[in-house]
Each structure stands twice: as C-alpha cells, then as structure tokens.
Amino acid sequence: MPERAIGVFDSGVGGLTVLRELRRQIPAEDLVYLGDTARVPYGTKSAPTVCRYAGEAARFLIDQQVKLIVVACNTASAVALEQLAENFQVPIVGVIVPGARRALEVSHSGRIGVIGTEGTVRSRAYERAILNGNPNVSVFAAACPLFVPLAEEGWADHEVARMAAHEYVRPLLEHDIDTLVLGCTHYPLLKRTLQNIVGDSVVLIDSAEETAKTVAALLQQEGLRRQVSSTAEPRYFVTDIPDRFKQVGGAFLGDSLDNVATISLD
Ligand code: DGL
C-alpha cells in the first residue's frame, strides 16, 4: 500500500496549487492528478451536481489504485467530502478543515474572513469547520467569482485584479478581520494583490499549504509513507483536450506539464 500513488482531483487546473505543495512537502510520493476540465467550473454549479462529479472523479482515481485521495477543489471539498468518505475505503483529505484549523491558530481577534467560489460560500463549509474548532469566533465570507478567470488569464497582478479584490474584500475589512482564508484553488496566485489590499495586519491562509501538511501527517500516522522515493513525474489526466490545461497549468504548478492524457468519466 505505501508504494501506491496519492490521487489528487480538481475541477481543472486550480488544484495544481495543491499538487505543487504536495511535491514540495512530500517529494518522495508518487502523484496522480485529475482535472475535470470538460465540466469546469464547479464553483457555479449546484451541490448535487458537484457531488456527482466528485464521485466520478474519485472512482477514476480509485481505479488508478491510489492509496489516498486529496480533494483539491474547495467547492468539491465543501459539498462532497462526507459522501466521498462514506463511499470509498481509502483516506480522503479535503482542503476546508486544514485551512479552517490554521485560521484558528493564527487569528488573535477571532474575526476571520473567508473568500471562495459561490458554491463554497453558499455551503458555509468553512464557517462550520471554523466554528466547530472554536464556537466563540466570528466568520465573515464573500464569494469572489471573478478571481478564477483572472488567475487563469494570467492577470493575478493586473490592475483589474486589484480593483476586483478591492470590491470583494472591502466588506470583510469593515468587519475588522485579522485573518483571511483563501478558500479556492486559484487564490494563492492572487496572494500579492490580496495582501496589498488587506494590508500587513491581516494574515492570509493558503489552504493548499495547510492541506499538504495534513496529508504528510496522515501518511505518517497511517503508515502510508513511501519507503522508497519515487522518481516518477506526476501523471496528469484531464477530461477535455489538454492544450489549455498544459498552457495555463504551468503558472499554477510553477513547472512545465508533461504526461497529460485525456480520459472520460462517463
Ligand atoms: N477549483 C475550484 C475551487 O477551489 C475553483 C474553480 C471552479 O469553480 O471549478 O473551488
């Protein structure tokens, strides 16, 4: 079992920010990535639809014989994690609880902001996870739908991104937050822009980083760490032609993308 790969899935390229952190924190592990590019975005879709997509993605990874599944997509983690954990035997790690836990660790004032897709914010999954850890804090959430296309367009540091960030985040700042959870795969690319808007007194929480830490700890705890370091490059699967995935994904991964195969989940 420990020699098997870790499976990671997302609606598209965004989860490569999580894969990047996994590669950085646990370089010995073998990784398989699935981007459901034919059906992206998940963030604007209903919970039942995202649950169905997530189930199909997880089934595909199970068929690849993975030892653990990382649901890199915040929207899928927000609405489908429990159902996945019920239906599959391998450990399933989402991005919500690691980000929520870290937010509670760093917040002094107990006033925490969360930004994500419409689906993630509507689900209130971050709010539940944060309040579960400490019912005495206050959580303020905002959906930032323009950030996904801006990040994919390579405009994360563009004036347009700055203006959008200002509009989205201002209401949260009015609540005096001291911590802001980046609750979407794409938002780590906007870190610089966001930090400029919120100022140095607000700590940004990168869910990708926290999730990779959780995966590393879980592998250790379950005796699932690879004994022999993998020399294999990650294998990538997408559900639509791979051209855009390769082109846009490089910026998310911080590396070039080879080994991309097209598959169908139907
Ligand atoms: N991966 C999604 C998330 O983290 C963002 C893109 C989408 O809406 O599918 O919520």
Side-chain angles (χ1 to χ4, degrees), residues 189-210:
L189 273 80
L190 287 135
K191 254 186 202 166
R192 202 168 23 217
T193 296
L194 282 163
Q195 194 75 70
N196 276 334
I197 298 288
V198 300
D200 289 341
S201 58
V202 176
V203 180
L204 301 182
I205 305 295
D206 182 338
S207 289
E209 237 173 84
E210 300 309 321

Side-chain angles (χ1 to χ4, degrees), residues 10-11 40-44 72-75 117 120 148 184-186:
D10 178 51
S11 52
V40 69
Y42 284 7
T44 52
C73 179
N74 285 253
T75 310
T117 64
T120 299
V148 167
C184 173
T185 48
H186 289 57

Side-chain angles (χ1 to χ4, degrees), residues 39-216:
R39 304 192 289 198
V40 69
Y42 284 7
T44 52
K45 303 214 162 67
S46 70
T49 298
V50 174
C51 280
R52 179 159 56 82
Y53 292 171
E56 290 169 7
R59 164 59 52 208
F60 172 81
L61 291 173
I62 293 289
D63 290 345
Q64 304 301 305
Q65 312 280 320
V66 299
K67 62 182 172 185
L68 180 151
I69 291 177
V70 180
V71 185
C73 179
N74 285 253
T75 310
S77 293
V79 302
L81 202 70
E82 277 165 34
Q83 172 209 292
L84 294 175
E86 275 168 24
N87 292 345
F88 298 97
Q89 302 302 318
V90 300
I92 314 259
V93 180
V95 288
I96 307 278
V97 170
R101 199 183 301 133
R102 184 68 189 146
L104 284 170
E105 277 164 16
V106 305
S107 176
H108 294 297
S109 68
R111 302 182 72 77
I112 298 171
V114 176
I115 52 176
T117 64
E118 287 159 301
T120 299
V121 169
R122 195 174 48 228
S123 76
R124 306 181 82 147
Y126 270 107
E127 191 171 338
R128 274 199 306 280
I130 293 170
L131 294 176
N132 203 17
N134 181 351
N136 300 316
V137 302
S138 303
V139 183
F140 308 94
C144 309
L146 286 178
F147 284 172
V148 167
L150 285 169
E152 293 199 6
E153 195 63 28
W155 283 14
D157 293 309
H158 194 283
E159 177 64 9
V160 176
R162 213 190 58 76
M163 285 164 66
H166 192 255
E167 286 298 316
Y168 286 139
V169 173
R170 196 182 39 203
L172 300 180
L173 293 177
E174 281 167 10
H175 287 293
D176 261 344
I177 56 166
D178 73 347
T179 306
L180 180 63
V181 180
L182 308 182
C184 173
T185 48
H186 289 57
Y187 300 178
L189 273 80
L190 287 135
K191 254 186 202 166
R192 202 168 23 217
T193 296
L194 282 163
Q195 194 75 70
N196 276 334
I197 298 288
V198 300
D200 289 341
S201 58
V202 176
V203 180
L204 301 182
I205 305 295
D206 182 338
S207 289
E209 237 173 84
E210 300 309 321
T211 302
K213 279 188 210 160
T214 300
V215 171

